Amino acid sequence: MNKNMPTLTQDPDARYLAQRQAPASTAVWFLLAVITMFFFLFAVAYRIRMTLPDWQALNEPWQLAVSTVMLVMSCVAMHLCYRKAALLPSLRANHALLVWTVIFTLGFVFSQLWAWQALLSANLGIGSTPAASFFYLLTGLHGLHVLGGLVALSWVVLHAGSGHRNQLYPALRLCTRYWHFLLFVWLFLLGLLRLT
């Protein structure tokens, strides 16, 4: 039997095996590593700043719970979308899940702005206390990364819509990896802010 002869498989990802090994995947892993180091250094700075005598703990607004739910739902929608794209790689087939992903992601961003508004209403601006400054810094930087993910997802949709349908699934797979990473970072930041 010829070992090079292709065989039937039940794995829906099999036809995308070559694309999964593309340099884009390595680039995304590299990006995630850089962002991880970025937030790690800010977390270290946060912990060091806490040890100074003028530190006053901040009561985080309850809107952060809404943010967490929104981000979890956006990850679920994105994951379902990329799994569906493995079998039906078309924008029409995945339109609803893509829309839900964008809605939940924007919901996360707006709930973050809502949390900022709650702090401002309590006279806790950016420069009011060191804890408040770190809160705006960490949540703001994470929000920018979320918006960057939306920009990348928009490019994926436009690229697939311009005749590159076969690249939809591999691109959504990378986007899903990024979305899960954003959720991981958010839970880390939430724990850092809540437990310190």
Side-chain angles (χ1 to χ4, degrees), residues 53-135:
D54 64 336
W55 182 268
Q56 294 178 336
L58 181 72
N59 290 323
E60 289 78 22
W62 62 268
Q63 287 86 350
L64 296 187
V66 178
S67 301
T68 304
V69 172
M70 288 291 125
L71 195 55
V72 168
M73 294 304 295
S74 70
C75 281
V76 170
M78 175 62 83
H79 187 85
L80 293 175
C81 184
Y82 114 83
R83 293 305 301 170
K84 188 175 182 180
L87 301 174
L88 299 170
S90 73
L91 288 177
R92 177 174 294 183
N94 295 280
H95 179 263
L97 286 170
L98 284 170
V99 169
W100 279 115
T101 299
V102 172
I103 288 175
F104 285 128
T105 305
L106 289 177
F108 171 81
V109 173
F110 283 114
S111 62
Q112 290 282 278
L113 296 176
W114 190 13
W116 284 13
Q117 180 60 41
L119 286 182
L120 291 172
S121 299
N123 294 321
L124 290 170
I126 294 176
S128 58
T129 68
S133 299
F134 267 100
F135 179 87

